[in-house]
Amino acid sequence: MQTSIPFMLFRGGSSKALFFHLADLPADVATRDKYILAALEGVGQGDLRQIDGMGGATSLTSKVAVVSLSKEKNADLDYLFLQVLIGKGKISTTQTCGNILSAVVPFAIESGLIKANSPSTTATVNLVNTGGHCEVTVETPNGIVNYNGQTKVDGVPGTSAPILCNYLGAEGATCGSLFPTGNLLDIVDGISVTCIDNGMPEILIRASDLLISGNESPIELNSNEELKRKLELIRLQMGPKMNLGDVTNQSIPKICVVSGPLHGGAVNTRTFIPHVCHEAIGVLGAVSTATACIIEGTVANKIASLPSSHEAGLSIEHPTGEFTVQLITENTEGKISIKKSIVLRTARLISMGQVYIPKHI
């Protein structure tokens, strides 16, 4: 009396998602979304606990990847990211997810979509949500995905094999330009902000301008209702100016609160996605933040501690560690353009099988 759909469950970076073949889901988008919500939340759609489904009751564990061979000539795979908005019974497709991206090529190999090479396999992934592309390289000795290694990702216990994610042309992927308001600095409600999109739309704000240190724990910040109210007012005002329209029910733009580094990195961060303080920082959020750090005139650049060469990597500090981003840039007549944004992730296949959807859905 239920409908079964093949799936795999992967940890990608510091997130977790159900992975599906595009062909295994309904072609109609509205029906597809009903199936996805049923898989993660069951019949209790909108349930904060997601007790009747496979969701993990957090934004980091309520994610879905839909993968297929690419329809584009310059890509191998298409990757559509779906974020289940917990408690709302809705799905957002307005952003992509760099953490989950790291598991796309392993999924494609494990499911037979593409054939692995040895000792490694590289595939170009088309990020369907934003139209960007990423070259992903996975260790595949003897044509088998390797999940064992010594690479450590903060926010993830243990170590695993490295997965290299090389983002190509991520500037303005969602908003249309790197600085979508046309300014390096905007003033909103008397507070200086930088709106940026190098793969993830973000609004950067200095912690001192919010009358906080920036070192507070996520629990402490999440209990600060006045701070969250102030941040949401800023987000709602800047969303349209970032070419995102009314963002009331969207998970973007993110808010990234920046302060001076504590542990030798470039900058310290606290990220709100969009109303809850993240225990770490998203992959593309780290890329956008790192980009703001190296460009003069942004709120992040003024407080960042930069290495002699940002191509060697910028360490973006967050509540549970750090995230290193390597930026390959080109300087033309004093204007910096980002050619490549490179991050290191890990992934692991956790389970596979059939997820069951109630027949009436």
Side-chain angles (χ1 to χ4, degrees):
M1 299 301 293
Q2 299 193 89
T3 301
S4 64
I5 306 175
F7 81 97
M8 292 187 192
L9 178 65
F10 273 88
R11 175 189 61 76
S14 55
S15 292
K16 190 163 57 176
L18 294 184
F19 278 67
F20 297 100
H21 279 294
L22 176 65
D24 290 330
L25 293 170
D28 176 69
V29 171
T31 307
R32 177 203 70 191
D33 286 357
K34 288 181 180 179
Y35 273 52
I36 295 299
L37 287 169
L40 271 78
E41 299 190 334
V43 296
Q45 291 177 24
D47 176 23
L48 291 170
R49 300 177 302 161
Q50 297 182 327
I51 199 67
D52 196 48
M54 295 189 68
T58 72
S59 61
L60 300 183
T61 55
S62 298
K63 300 183 175 187
V64 169
V66 181
V67 183
S68 62
L69 292 176
S70 184
K71 300 174 184 177
E72 296 192 351
K73 293 182 179 179
N74 59 345
D76 302 299
L77 298 166
D78 283 347
Y79 154 53
L80 173 67
F81 172 68
L82 306 175
Q83 177 72 63
V84 173
L85 304 177
I86 301 172
K88 297 183 178 181
K90 295 181 179 180
I91 289 174
S92 172
T93 60
T94 55
Q95 67 182 79
T96 190
C97 177
N99 274 305
I100 297 307
L101 168 64
S102 62
V104 167
V105 174
F107 169 78
I109 294 171
E110 297 282 10
S111 60
L113 270 178
I114 63 173
K115 185 177 180 180
N117 300 314
S118 184
S120 66
T121 301
T122 297
T124 300
V125 180
N126 170 38
L127 311 180
V128 175
N129 304 71
T130 62
H133 292 83
C134 186
E135 289 179 346
V136 180
T137 300
V138 180
E139 290 186 359
T140 50
N142 301 315
I144 299 171
V145 180
N146 179 32
Y147 298 108
N148 298 316
Q150 300 304 312
T151 298
K152 171 67 177 173
V153 172
D154 284 338
V156 179
T159 61
S160 189
I163 296 176
L164 187 66
C165 299
N166 177 15
Y167 290 89
L168 308 172
E171 287 190 43
T174 302
C175 299
S177 60
L178 184 61
F179 295 101
T181 69
N183 305 314
L184 296 173
L185 204 67
D186 289 285
I187 306 296
V188 54
D189 294 342
I191 295 175
S192 298
V193 306
T194 291
C195 299
I196 189 169
D197 174 18
N198 191 22
M200 178 59 67
E202 275 194 334
I203 302 171
L204 282 82
I205 309 174
R206 284 188 295 263
S208 57
D209 289 341
L210 296 167
L211 304 180
I212 61 174
S213 70
N215 306 330
E216 293 86 353
S217 70
I219 292 176
E220 185 177 352
L221 293 175
N222 284 328
S223 66
N224 189 335
E225 295 299 331
E226 175 58 25
L227 172 67
K228 292 196 294 181
R229 185 192 67 81
K230 185 182 299 184
L231 293 179
E232 181 63 359
L233 286 175
I234 292 173
R235 201 179 75 89
L236 293 177
Q237 291 177 72
M238 299 311 294
K241 296 180 180 180
M242 296 176 70
N243 303 316
L244 296 172
D246 182 1
V247 298
T248 302
N249 294 313
Q250 293 188 37
S251 56
I252 56 172
K254 317 293 189 193
I255 297 280
C256 184
V257 178
V258 294
S259 56
L262 299 175
H263 307 291
V267 70
N268 183 38
T269 65
R270 295 293 185 269
T271 306
F272 290 79
I273 308 182
H275 312 119
V276 177
C277 184
H278 198 331
E279 292 184 357
I281 189 171
V283 173
L284 289 168
V287 170
S288 288
T289 301
T291 304
C293 285
I294 68 170
I295 297 179
E296 291 186 12
T298 70
V299 297
N301 177 259
K302 293 180 179 180
I303 59 174
S305 178
L306 300 177
S308 56
S309 170
H310 47 262
E311 294 189 2
L314 279 78
S315 174
I316 308 302
E317 299 178 2
H318 56 76
T320 52
E322 67 86 37
F323 196 118
T324 298
V325 178
Q326 184 183 6
L327 297 173
I328 308 300
T329 64
E330 185 177 277
N331 194 323
T332 304
E333 298 180 353
K335 183 179 179 182
I336 293 178
S337 59
I338 312 299
K339 296 303 179 183
K340 294 182 180 181
S341 305
I342 304 170
V343 299
L344 200 62
R345 296 278 84 188
T346 67
R348 188 173 77 86
L349 173 61
I350 297 173
S351 69
M352 66 172 71
Q354 304 285 326
V355 60
Y356 290 89
I357 307 300
K359 200 73 172 181
H360 72 273
I361 293 176

